[in-house]
Amino acid sequence: MLTACLPQLSLAEIASWAGAAGYQALEVAAWPRTGGRDFEAAHLPVTGFDDRAADETRALLGRHGLDISALAYYENNLHPDPGRRAEIHTHLKAVVDVAQALDVPYVGTFVGRDWTRPVAHNLDEAQKVFPELVEYAGERGVRIIIENCVMEGWHPDGYPGNLAYSPELWEWMFSLGLYLNWDPSHLTWIGIDPVTTIAPYADKIVHAQAKDLQILPGKADRYGFFGKAVRREDPWDTGWWRYRVPGRGQVDWNAVVDALYENGFTGTLSVEHEDPVWSGTEEKVKTGLEIAHRTLRPLIVA
């Protein structure tokens, strides 16, 4: 499970609960403690992380029978503000350093987008930005993985804010040395059958996120594909779909897990909880995580 859904808890508190709930691994959120994304889940002290911190973290996970599958810092690596972009890259490298110290193979992030410039410009810019980041990680035995989230809320008009949302863009980013943290929920709402994307890219899907998605009946007929335009107070509220925990949406998890196994996937399937029905309190979030575990556990080969 991705720890970002419980930003108010410490890693020790999350590990204790997750181990008891039957989870086997944590995808640990590693945002800085100030600035960045809205939830600011900072479950590892990235700045100043030393050998003692590494030993304590390993011991903590060991007590609860857990591994770390990846570290998570999902930010806009093509941010239009040069100063903010530099901050993001600096923190991303620090997260890579922590991954190396803990023998964690992956660090997850976004390609992102400069929303003031056309897509073609962004693709050119990414080819300048990412090789150095990929090389930095590679020298430390870490791979950078990209989630295929659309991040429409980053764009002023709700257009894609992360240029990694489709197989066309995956092929482009693979050429930069990036890998995929595959998530079926985002594919579902943009009209791509997630199961069909597994076999062609199986060798690049090294980590996967388990998040579901619910299409709200009749709402797309009012708002259209791009979602609310007139009263869109929340940039993430399209008005016609919402994220759900696995088992409460429209993703066919039997087909997803079967296709992953059939195509040789040996990585981690990590629950990403962004379900508004099971949010608002710590108790509700944990219940959502329990629902996800009950849904997926019978499908996973022991």
Side-chain angles (χ1 to χ4, degrees), residues 14-302:
I14 292 173
S16 176
W17 180 86
Y23 280 90
Q24 295 173 291
L26 300 178
E27 183 182 359
V28 179
W31 274 261
R33 295 192 180 279
T34 58
R37 293 284 300 285
D38 51 357
F39 46 72
E40 289 189 16
H43 290 136
L44 278 176
V46 172
T47 302
F49 195 85
D50 54 18
D51 290 343
R52 179 179 178 180
D55 290 341
E56 291 175 349
T57 302
R58 289 193 194 94
L60 168 66
L61 296 167
R63 286 196 298 273
H64 300 289
L66 295 165
D67 295 318
I68 296 180
S69 65
L71 300 185
Y73 177 54
Y74 290 96
E75 265 295 354
N76 187 353
N77 286 285
L78 298 179
H79 198 287
D81 178 76
R84 179 64 185 135
R85 185 189 294 190
E87 290 175 355
I88 291 168
H89 292 176
T90 297
H91 189 77
L92 179 62
K93 290 178 178 178
V95 175
V96 168
D97 291 340
V98 173
Q100 179 190 26
L102 292 173
D103 297 315
V104 174
Y106 308 118
V107 168
T109 190
F110 290 134
V111 170
R113 177 180 182 174
D114 176 349
W115 57 82
T116 69
R117 305 298 295 273
V119 170
H121 168 86
N122 276 269
L123 300 185
D124 289 342
E125 186 69 11
Q127 292 182 58
K128 302 172 186 175
V129 167
F130 276 95
E132 192 266 335
L133 296 173
V134 168
E135 181 179 7
Y136 185 91
E139 289 173 347
R140 290 156 179 79
V142 176
R143 291 179 178 177
I144 295 179
I145 56 175
I146 304 293
E147 184 189 348
N148 55 290
C149 184
V150 183
M151 295 305 291
E152 67 286 349
W154 273 349
H155 192 288
D157 292 321
Y159 302 143
N162 174 39
L163 296 177
Y165 57 84
S166 67
E168 176 190 24
L169 289 165
W170 300 349
E171 293 169 1
W172 159 76
M173 75 179 194
F174 295 154
S175 71
L176 304 179
L178 299 165
Y179 288 80
L180 188 60
N181 191 9
W182 182 88
D183 185 326
S185 65
H186 309 299
L187 295 164
T188 300
W189 80 264
I190 64 173
I192 297 174
D193 179 354
V195 175
T196 66
T197 70
I198 294 173
Y201 306 103
D203 62 328
K204 300 295 185 181
I205 300 173
V206 296
H207 196 276
Q209 288 188 327
K211 185 161 78 261
D212 217 325
L213 184 126
Q214 180 183 20
I215 305 295
L216 303 175
K219 296 297 186 180
D221 293 331
R222 172 171 175 79
Y223 298 118
F225 181 82
F226 297 106
K228 289 181 179 179
V230 177
R231 292 187 177 90
R232 191 166 178 166
E233 298 176 2
D234 179 353
W236 303 101
D237 179 18
T238 66
W240 65 273
W241 60 265
R242 60 183 181 177
Y243 293 125
R244 300 302 309 272
V245 292
R248 294 295 188 269
Q250 296 176 227
V251 174
D252 184 342
W253 291 102
N254 283 282
V256 163
V257 174
D258 194 45
L260 286 170
Y261 278 130
E262 182 178 1
N263 289 281
F265 180 74
T266 58
T268 296
L269 184 60
S270 173
V271 173
E272 183 182 18
H273 183 346
E274 295 182 346
D275 186 331
V277 175
W278 296 106
S279 294
T281 67
E282 178 184 329
E283 181 181 5
K284 291 179 74 173
V285 170
K286 288 179 176 178
T287 298
L289 291 168
E290 290 169 348
I291 292 169
H293 188 273
R294 287 199 301 269
T295 299
L296 297 172
R297 181 67 258 184
L299 308 179
I300 306 300
V301 175

